[in-house]
Amino acid sequence: MRILLLCIFFLSLSLSAQVLNKTDSNRVRPKDTLVIDSGRKDSLQIFKPTIYDYTFRTQFSEKKIFDTAFTPEKTFVFTQYNNRDNFGRIQFANIGSGFQPIIFEVNTEQNLSLLPTNKSFIIQGIKDIRYYDVKTPTTSFIYHNSVSSGAALQTTYTQNIGKNFNFALEYMGLRSLGLYQENLAANNNVIFSGHYVSKNNKYEAFAHFVHQNVNNQENGGVADIGLFLGDNSNFDNRINLPVNLTGADSRFSYRRYYLSHQFRPFASEKFPFKIRHTLYHQGNKYYFIQALPQDFYFDDISELIDYPLSSKKYSKNLSNTVSIIFDKENIKLDAGVRHQSIKLGIGEALPASLNIPKEVSENRLGAVGNLQINLWNKVALNSNLEISTGTEFGSYLRSQNLLKFEPVAGYFVDAKVNFQTASPTFNLLMNPSVYRRFNYFLENPVNETITEIGGSVNLKWFKSSVFANYFMINNYTYLDAAAQPQQSNSALNISQIGGEAIFSYGKFHLNPRVHFQTALSNQDLLPMPKFIGRANLYWQSKAFKDAAEIQTGIKAYYFSKFASREYSPVLNEFILPNSSSYSIGGQPIVDVYFNLKVKRMFFFIEAQHLNTTIQKNRSFAAPYYPVSDFRLNLGIVWYLFS
């Protein structure tokens, strides 16, 4: 294993970053609009838009077309309420209620901000916001049915005004009652974005506003697992199962105003320089609301403090960055300075005896940089650096180095070396509560340092890929079994290896994906399954005289048994198991599905967890939180290019 890690390390150091995928069918072609009459009959040319006239991008990515191909990956995306492939996560029984992550990954949205883990799976960060370029007004709809009652709908409307300005309005609303008591999920977000380029291409601006809410009733899990696993048919109706909490809610609000604009003062041929200014304000708020004290969390009145039943905490970040950009065809260098005003606080002051401040704030100064190199369309490097320092949250440094190269036509190798040292996520630094046990303030924490080394190889054979990752985490910060933040004195080392492929025979296809992982040290600090696997066996063909396309098959998902962390509703985080906890996993989850594409409308219909129709549900997302029983899941995606 050490030899393997050393090989990956030196490979990553010698090559580091990202390039264009020349096999990506979603790339924009040089010519888009189709000329159907060149003006030979009269002086008027008639143009007919094609799919290449409808594109989107993030601020720092290439343009991509609206992906209307019927690929097997979509059955893992558009059957999920957050429209993402959630491999490596276990979904709670109700949509909108989040997941337990069982694969370690770095979420940079949690850096220097308040973002509880179980509220993070639907959040749209700065790098997730799409900016569009469309020839005609365009609308898309994504619908998901709910659990028991409600629905989830995401809609996007975008339009160009002239050739140089585009605006987009996106809305997502989700309301799902759930099968259990006190299990309602109500999520929504609004995104308004705009992109402008001047006629002479000297000025460009990106702007957006985001407001997202992730609200959930919290029931604390099933009170008596014996009733859930037992043979009493009265509890087959899950609403009859008693739960641990009543009248408790968690709410998370995420709001951001963002503007980034750049100006090229000179002719690019002689002086390829630009000046960029980026300004944004982001505010995160987390509430735990309850009607009465929950006896699940205390035995005696002395375990409560003089504090409101409902608690609040928040973070604010006002960021201002000025950069100078050197921009040539094959090399791009961006360097700038950044000022941030950051606050972390609670709603009501706690009793002075607890020694927990009402607010901690600071002004941070730092620098940012980015280097992109593209050589011969075969090698691409993308290196990012951000560094800053402050009086309250210490130093911050993140270096991200990605490399993609093509040693042989059609074969791609990716390598990465990432390093980050930062304050622990703000949700682990401070918490107020009427319950004495949930109050904490992690004073003078040591920076959590994460080194990530890894790479992947994409092969033409069976459209396969293999990968290996290694993480070394110093001062790992976690919540112990008493829900108190702790920092490890020794490193947590994690290795990951896996792969994916597609095997085809005629119209039949098998798409397996495997992930092996282990904590090489301090295994008890981050319990995880050693194996996670998924298989998709499907048949795909045109139908109805090529007017439609059908995709139907069976999916199976499995992770090995492990001593799982528990879920804390008060914090919306996962804590180490206590002596009364139990292991989860070792149970397959089988879905059967039928998907249909008609023009630019997709139907995703699947019978989820079908094996529970013939055997008892013994699968859990976390201890005391079963995954959903059998349900019919429906997703619809519709693109309208008017």
Side-chain angles (χ1 to χ4, degrees):
M1 176 59 71
R2 293 181 178 177
I3 296 175
L4 173 62
L5 294 176
L6 286 174
C7 291
I8 296 173
F9 176 77
F10 287 114
L11 174 64
S12 305
L13 288 179
S14 60
L15 309 168
S16 27
Q18 187 177 20
V19 310
L20 303 180
N21 185 347
K22 299 200 291 182
T23 65
D24 188 355
S25 61
N26 204 25
R27 288 183 59 205
V28 178
R29 294 179 180 176
K31 294 182 180 180
D32 44 13
T33 304
L34 177 68
V35 180
I36 61 173
D37 190 330
S38 60
R40 287 176 293 183
K41 296 180 180 179
D42 52 38
S43 60
L44 181 65
Q45 285 189 330
I46 300 174
F47 295 87
K48 181 180 180 181
T50 70
I51 191 62
Y52 298 99
D53 290 307
Y54 300 89
T55 64
F56 66 89
R57 57 175 294 191
T58 60
Q59 183 177 351
F60 300 107
S61 74
E62 290 186 315
K63 284 187 175 182
K64 292 185 176 182
I65 62 172
F66 279 70
D67 188 0
T68 58
F70 205 28
T71 57
E73 294 83 5
K74 286 185 170 59
T75 195
F76 298 112
V77 173
F78 293 125
T79 55
Q80 302 292 304
Y81 74 91
N82 59 348
N83 300 312
R84 301 174 185 176
D85 186 344
N86 293 303
F87 181 83
R89 300 168 181 170
I90 320 170
Q91 184 171 321
F92 284 85
N94 193 15
I95 67 169
S97 295
F99 304 81
Q100 181 184 180
I102 53 176
I103 290 178
F104 178 81
E105 56 186 356
V106 180
N107 183 0
T108 57
E109 283 293 320
Q110 293 181 315
N111 292 340
L112 298 176
S113 71
L114 174 68
L115 179 56
T117 297
N118 203 41
K119 299 294 187 183
S120 66
F121 301 108
I122 202 169
I123 293 301
Q124 298 284 305
I126 291 174
K127 295 180 180 179
D128 298 318
I129 301 301
R130 291 181 173 185
Y131 302 92
Y132 299 88
D133 183 10
V134 293
K135 286 292 193 296
T136 59
T138 300
T139 308
S140 68
F141 297 95
I142 304 175
Y143 167 88
H144 300 277
N145 67 330
S146 67
V147 178
S148 183
S149 176
L153 177 65
Q154 177 178 324
T155 181
T156 301
Y157 176 82
T158 181
Q159 178 179 347
N160 278 25
I161 299 178
K163 295 182 178 180
N164 304 99
F165 176 69
N166 173 275
F167 74 90
L169 178 63
E170 303 182 47
Y171 174 77
M172 188 282 289
L174 179 152
R175 185 177 178 84
S176 183
L177 183 61
L179 297 173
Y180 296 82
Q181 299 177 38
E182 307 288 335
N183 199 206
L184 174 68
N187 307 168
N188 62 77
N189 66 47
V190 176
I191 303 174
F192 182 83
S193 63
H195 178 219
Y196 172 77
V197 181
S198 64
K199 291 183 179 180
N200 60 8
N201 289 321
K202 285 193 171 184
Y203 179 80
E204 185 175 19
F206 298 86
H208 68 253
F209 165 75
V210 177
H211 190 187
Q212 303 180 82
N213 294 301
V214 187
N215 302 330
N216 301 95
Q217 288 183 327
E218 301 287 356
N219 62 22
V222 174
D224 188 342
I225 291 299
L227 297 180
F228 173 78
L229 296 175
D231 297 324
N232 190 332
S233 60
N234 290 332
F235 298 109
D236 290 343
N237 184 356
R238 301 309 191 186
I239 200 71
N240 294 330
L241 283 166
V243 295
N244 290 314
L245 303 179
T246 58
D249 298 81
S250 65
R251 302 178 184 178
F252 181 70
S253 172
Y254 180 101
R255 181 180 294 179
R256 182 174 60 248
Y257 302 87
Y258 180 89
L259 170 65
S260 181
H261 53 146
Q262 59 191 38
F263 175 68
R264 188 177 70 239
F266 310 110
S268 59
E269 296 79 10
K270 295 182 179 180
F271 303 98
F273 291 95
K274 299 177 184 177
I275 300 172
R276 177 189 294 143
H277 174 234
T278 300
L279 176 69
Y280 71 85
H281 179 271
Q282 181 169 302
N284 298 6
K285 298 178 183 178
Y286 176 70
Y287 304 84
F288 184 76
I289 301 169
Q290 52 191 344
L292 294 169
Q294 306 287 326
D295 56 10
F296 180 62
Y297 290 127
F298 73 100
D299 298 317
D300 187 83
I301 196 70
S302 63
E303 297 176 49
L304 302 177
I305 66 170
D306 182 17
Y307 196 72
L309 287 174
S310 299
S311 60
K312 169 191 174 183
K313 54 183 174 179
Y314 61 87
S315 70
K316 298 179 181 179
N317 186 345
L318 176 61
S319 176
N320 197 357
T321 307
V322 177
S323 304
I324 296 177
I325 306 167
F326 175 81
D327 191 357
K328 294 285 286 183
E329 182 179 358
N330 293 322
I331 183 170
K332 186 174 183 178
L333 178 62
D334 180 347
V337 294
R338 173 172 293 171
H339 172 264
Q340 292 174 290
S341 175
I342 296 181
K343 298 179 180 179
L344 170 64
I346 60 179
E348 298 287 336
L350 285 158
S353 60
L354 294 176
N355 198 29
I356 297 178
K358 189 173 187 295
E359 184 179 90
V360 179
S361 62
E362 69 173 14
N363 288 295
R364 302 181 65 86
L365 291 175
V368 295
N370 173 255
L371 173 64
Q372 298 179 43
I373 300 175
N374 189 351
L375 301 177
W376 316 293
N377 275 338
K378 294 285 187 180
V379 178
L381 168 70
N382 190 341
S383 293
N384 290 284
L385 176 68
E386 180 179 352
I387 184 171
S388 65
T389 186
T391 56
E392 295 292 338
F393 304 117
S395 61
Y396 172 80
L397 186 151
R398 177 164 176 80
S399 173
Q400 184 177 21
N401 305 283
L402 307 171
L403 174 75
K404 175 175 281 187
F405 65 99
E406 187 180 9
V408 180
Y411 296 83
F412 295 92
V413 177
D414 294 271
K416 59 184 176 182
V417 178
N418 300 328
F419 177 81
Q420 172 180 302
T421 178
S423 164
T425 176
F426 284 179
N427 204 36
L428 303 188
L429 294 186
M430 179 189 296
N431 193 70
S433 177
V434 68
Y435 308 106
R436 189 177 299 276
R437 59 179 289 199
F438 289 119
N439 288 284
Y440 57 75
F441 177 59
L442 190 59
E443 192 172 5
N444 299 319
V446 182
N447 269 10
E448 190 176 59
T449 301
I450 303 174
T451 303
E452 178 184 4
I453 302 170
S456 64
V457 180
N458 296 277
L459 309 171
K460 283 199 289 189
W461 300 311
F462 309 113
K463 299 179 182 178
S464 60
S465 63
V466 294
F467 74 90
N469 294 321
Y470 170 75
F471 297 90
M472 182 174 67
I473 311 163
N474 290 300
N475 308 312
Y476 174 64
T477 309
Y478 60 97
L479 292 167
D480 62 18
Q484 291 292 305
Q486 305 290 343
Q487 291 194 288
S488 173
N489 293 322
S490 56
L492 170 62
N493 297 278
I494 300 171
S495 65
Q496 301 173 344
I497 190 168
E500 184 173 13
I502 297 179
F503 304 96
S504 300
Y505 181 78
K507 296 179 180 180
F508 289 91
H509 312 273
L510 174 63
N511 175 206
R513 181 174 178 179
V514 296
H515 181 103
F516 298 90
Q517 61 184 5
T518 186
L520 304 175
S521 60
N522 285 319
Q523 298 181 18
D524 56 329
L525 300 185
L526 183 58
M528 63 181 71
K530 294 186 180 299
F531 171 76
I532 303 164
R534 181 176 73 187
N536 179 20
L537 176 63
Y538 64 99
W539 177 86
Q540 184 167 346
S541 177
K542 298 284 186 179
F544 308 113
K545 298 182 179 179
D546 292 343
E549 191 170 1
I550 293 174
Q551 186 185 88
T552 183
I554 182 170
K555 297 184 290 190
Y557 185 63
Y558 176 87
F559 56 92
S560 57
K561 198 169 185 177
F562 73 109
S564 169
R565 294 179 295 175
E566 295 186 3
Y567 171 61
S568 170
V570 175
L571 305 173
N572 255 251
E573 296 285 353
F574 294 89
I575 67 176
L576 292 184
N578 58 38
S579 57
S580 64
S581 189
Y582 54 90
S583 296
I584 66 172
Q587 301 287 331
I589 297 174
V590 178
D591 306 333
V592 174
Y593 66 92
F594 177 87
N595 301 334
L596 175 69
K597 176 189 176 185
V598 180
K599 294 185 177 179
R600 293 193 176 98
M601 179 179 283
F602 301 79
F603 299 88
F604 298 90
I605 305 169
E606 66 179 15
Q608 290 187 331
H609 212 171
L610 185 65
N611 43 319
T612 58
T613 61
I614 58 175
Q615 63 183 39
K616 185 166 288 295
N617 183 4
R618 299 181 181 275
S619 297
F620 292 84
Y624 310 103
Y625 287 88
V627 303
S628 177
D629 298 323
F630 167 79
R631 66 178 287 253
L632 189 64
N633 186 35
L634 174 66
I636 300 174
V637 182
W638 192 11
Y639 299 104
L640 297 172
F641 305 121
S642 55

